[in-house]
């Protein structure tokens, strides 16, 4: 029997009356439902009533557990980071952690979307707390890596630790699938390759530009407005930014913005178009030079690293804000993403003939996610040698083989 609050079953009291019994895991069920909805639709597109309906209770019943949607988001993000911490705390060594996390990541697929995209909507103080908690996780992974690789300095251990987290988080951003056992083995292989990647061997290109740079681009009022809009959309999320916020950041008045961009959506469309054009230009240059498939793949890797390091906020938009585009532009952007990924897969197949297509997509997505996150992570983004280190990491993942038993 259900009383409208999702209570099931009856409990007999001493007086002979019966009362409904509330499930003991009600709060956990609400958090799980909210996690799924926030991942699929985005925080701003989900209401408390949506979450309550997913659990099978009323909105007032949900408010008995959470003060409101912001409080619910906080618990959702807390739960995702806490789950990583728990599995890490139980691991006595690096490989145990990598194998355990490969298994558990399959059960919490999508969690990276929550702490990378949706956590932006938390109050600033809580965002900082979440960032500290995630940094603590990376520190503990770095310690495990250091135990096995004492020759590495702390910045390199940190870079590899964040790369391991990026490998596991990469499956949050796509729906490609494999049989469970094969998927786990692939994740373990990629994480192992990241943790054991040789560093300092690649100095074949100049160091990358610091993340987020727009040097030389802001030469007009239109460019100044667009640059600030890109940054704010990335940092706060499209729906949390107003045209007044953009105008204040760019030192422009409302009429000045509307002269160049009639609506906020026009700003987002222009930003995404810019990102696609700049990535295509680098890709065309990488493919234009003659060479073997391996040399072409290396150049494509370098071109993406250069793009990510110089346009980190644009990367953020391409990752997290495409759903905010109008339908026509959204479909075009998604198609461009698919074609770009397919190019990588074709090249990887030429370098490693016979590699399963689904597996190749998972590998390539892991590589791009490692690069994206490194470009957007504070301490890593400050490294002058980051382009070379990411080239080594990307190559290690692309060419990874099963680690020794």
């Amino acid at each position: 029997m259900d009383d409208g609050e999702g209570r099931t079953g009856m409990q007999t009291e001493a007086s002979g009356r019966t009362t409904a019994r509330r499930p003991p895991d009600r709060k956990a069920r609400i958090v799980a439902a909210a996690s799924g909805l926030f991942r699929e639709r985005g925080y701003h597109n989900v209401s408390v009533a949506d979450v309550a309906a997913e659990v099978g209770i009323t909105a007032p019943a949900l408010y008995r557990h959470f003060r409101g949607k912001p409080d619910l988001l906080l618990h959702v993000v807390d739960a995702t980071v806490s789950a990583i911490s728990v599995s890490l705390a139980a691991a006595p060594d690096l490989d145990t952690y990598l194998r355990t996390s490969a298994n558990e990541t399959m059960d919490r697929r999508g969690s990276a979307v929550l702490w990378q995209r949706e956590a932006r909507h938390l109050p600033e103080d809580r965002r900082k707390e979440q960032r500290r908690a995630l940094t603590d996780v990376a520190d503990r992974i770095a310690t495990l890596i250091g135990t096995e690789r004492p020759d590495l300095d702390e910045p390199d251990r940190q870079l590899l630790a964040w790369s391991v987290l990026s490998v596991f988080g990469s499956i949050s951003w796509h729906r490609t699938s494999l049989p469970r056992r094969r998927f786990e083995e692939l994740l373990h292989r990629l994480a192992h390759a990241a943790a054991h990647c040789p560093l300092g061997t690649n100095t074949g290109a100049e160091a990358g530009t610091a993340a987020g740079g727009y040097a030389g681009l802001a030469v007009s009022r239109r460019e100044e407005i667009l640059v600030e809009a890109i940054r704010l959309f990335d940092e706060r999320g499209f729906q949390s930014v107003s045209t007044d916020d953009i105008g204040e950041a760019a030192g422009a008045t409302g009429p000045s913005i509307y002269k160049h961009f009639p609506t906020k959506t026009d700003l987002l469309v222009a930003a995404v178009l810019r990102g696609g054009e700049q990535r295509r230009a680098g890709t065309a240059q990488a493919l234009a030079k003659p060479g073997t498939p391996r040399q072409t793949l290396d150049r494509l890797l370098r071109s993406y690293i250069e793009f990510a390091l110089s346009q980190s906020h644009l990367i953020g938009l391409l990752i997290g804000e495409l759903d905010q585009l109008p339908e026509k532009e959204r479909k075009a952007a998604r198609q461009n993403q698919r074609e770009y990924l397919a190019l990588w897969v074709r090249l990887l197949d030429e370098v490693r003939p016979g590699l399963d297509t689904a597996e190749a997509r998972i590998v390539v997505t892991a590589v791009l996610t490692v690069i994206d996150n490194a470009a957007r992570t504070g301490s890593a983004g400050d490294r002058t040698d980051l382009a070379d280190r990411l080239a080594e990491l990307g190559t290690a993942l692309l060419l990874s083989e099963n680690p020794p038993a």
Side-chain angles (χ1 to χ4, degrees):
M1 176 178 176
D2 193 316
D3 69 348
E5 290 187 25
R7 299 174 184 171
T8 58
M10 305 297 288
Q11 182 177 7
T12 303
E13 297 181 344
S15 63
R17 292 178 300 172
T18 58
T19 59
R21 184 172 58 220
R22 182 179 293 120
D25 63 342
R26 167 69 54 75
K27 191 169 185 178
R29 289 168 59 193
I30 294 171
V31 169
S35 296
L37 291 173
F38 291 160
R39 285 196 306 266
E40 292 299 317
R41 304 183 194 173
Y43 173 74
H44 283 296
N45 298 320
V46 176
S47 68
V48 168
D50 291 333
V51 178
E54 188 77 7
V55 181
I57 61 176
T58 63
L62 187 147
Y63 281 112
R64 293 192 177 97
H65 300 278
F66 301 96
R67 292 189 298 274
K69 197 168 74 162
D71 185 41
L72 182 54
L73 176 62
L74 175 62
H75 281 79
V76 164
V77 177
D78 273 343
T80 63
V81 178
S82 296
I84 302 173
S85 298
V86 169
S87 62
L88 183 57
D93 54 57
L94 177 61
D95 197 59
T96 300
Y97 163 69
L98 296 180
R99 290 188 181 279
T100 301
S101 191
N103 174 275
E104 294 179 349
T105 295
M106 298 294 298
D107 296 323
R108 54 174 183 255
R109 187 171 185 174
S111 60
V113 173
L114 295 170
W115 48 261
Q116 284 187 295
R117 188 186 72 192
E118 303 308 324
R120 295 176 301 173
H121 306 302
L122 292 171
E124 184 177 358
D125 58 334
R126 302 315 296 262
R127 287 202 308 272
K128 289 180 178 178
E129 288 180 19
Q130 291 301 326
R131 185 63 186 175
R132 283 194 294 269
L134 201 57
T135 299
D136 180 62
V137 167
D139 288 343
R140 285 186 280 168
I141 298 173
T143 298
L144 292 178
I145 292 173
T147 300
E148 288 202 11
R149 303 183 63 183
D151 55 306
L152 293 179
D153 60 20
E154 184 58 24
D156 283 348
R157 295 176 190 177
Q158 287 287 332
L159 176 61
L160 296 186
W162 284 105
S163 298
V164 168
L165 283 172
S166 295
V167 166
F168 291 132
S170 66
I171 70 170
S172 296
W173 301 97
H174 64 81
R175 298 180 183 274
T176 306
S177 188
L178 289 171
R180 172 83 185 217
R181 181 66 179 273
R182 281 181 58 198
F183 210 149
E184 288 181 21
E185 290 175 350
L186 176 57
L187 282 177
H188 174 252
R189 187 183 92 198
L190 293 171
H192 185 278
H196 293 84
C197 175
L199 297 178
T201 63
N202 191 335
T203 56
E206 296 180 3
T209 307
Y214 287 93
L217 288 178
V219 295
S220 67
R221 172 59 74 192
R222 184 182 191 279
E223 287 294 340
E224 290 172 348
I225 294 169
L226 185 57
V227 166
E228 291 303 324
I230 290 170
R231 179 182 65 81
L232 290 173
F233 291 160
D234 177 33
E235 292 176 351
R236 303 183 194 174
F238 175 76
Q239 294 195 39
S240 297
V241 176
S242 68
T243 51
D244 287 340
D245 295 329
I246 297 167
E248 182 179 355
T253 61
S256 177
I257 293 178
Y258 296 130
K259 175 183 176 182
H260 300 288
F261 303 97
T263 68
K264 190 175 72 165
T265 298
D266 291 320
L267 275 162
L268 181 61
V269 170
V272 171
L273 287 175
R274 163 178 284 182
E277 290 167 357
Q278 293 188 353
R279 189 175 64 185
R280 279 192 295 274
T283 300
Q285 187 175 10
L287 299 179
K289 297 180 182 178
T292 65
R294 171 64 190 277
Q295 290 170 332
T296 304
L297 184 62
D298 288 344
R299 288 197 301 270
L300 183 62
L301 175 62
R302 279 283 185 175
S303 76
Y304 188 76
I305 291 170
E306 181 180 353
F307 169 62
L309 294 184
S310 64
Q311 308 293 347
S312 64
H313 289 305
L314 268 176
I315 289 289
L317 264 63
L318 294 175
I319 291 172
E321 299 299 333
L322 294 188
D323 286 342
Q324 305 301 323
L325 291 169
E327 183 178 5
K328 178 182 176 181
E329 287 79 6
R330 182 173 65 252
K331 287 183 176 179
R334 295 290 187 198
Q335 182 62 28
N336 289 337
Q337 296 278 46
R338 287 191 291 270
E339 291 174 355
Y340 186 66
L341 181 62
L343 169 64
W344 277 85
V345 170
R346 288 197 302 271
L347 272 174
L348 184 56
D349 181 63
E350 292 184 36
V351 174
R352 301 181 62 184
L355 187 66
D356 180 84
T357 300
E359 182 174 331
R361 285 199 296 266
I362 294 168
V363 171
V364 169
T365 304
V367 171
L368 300 182
T369 303
V370 166
I371 295 168
D372 292 342
N373 290 350
R376 294 159 55 76
T377 301
S379 58
D382 294 334
R383 294 181 60 143
T384 58
D385 65 344
L386 185 56
D388 289 330
R389 302 295 77 80
L390 289 178
E392 292 164 340
L393 276 161
T395 301
L397 268 61
L398 289 168
L399 305 182
S400 62
E401 301 290 348
N402 289 327

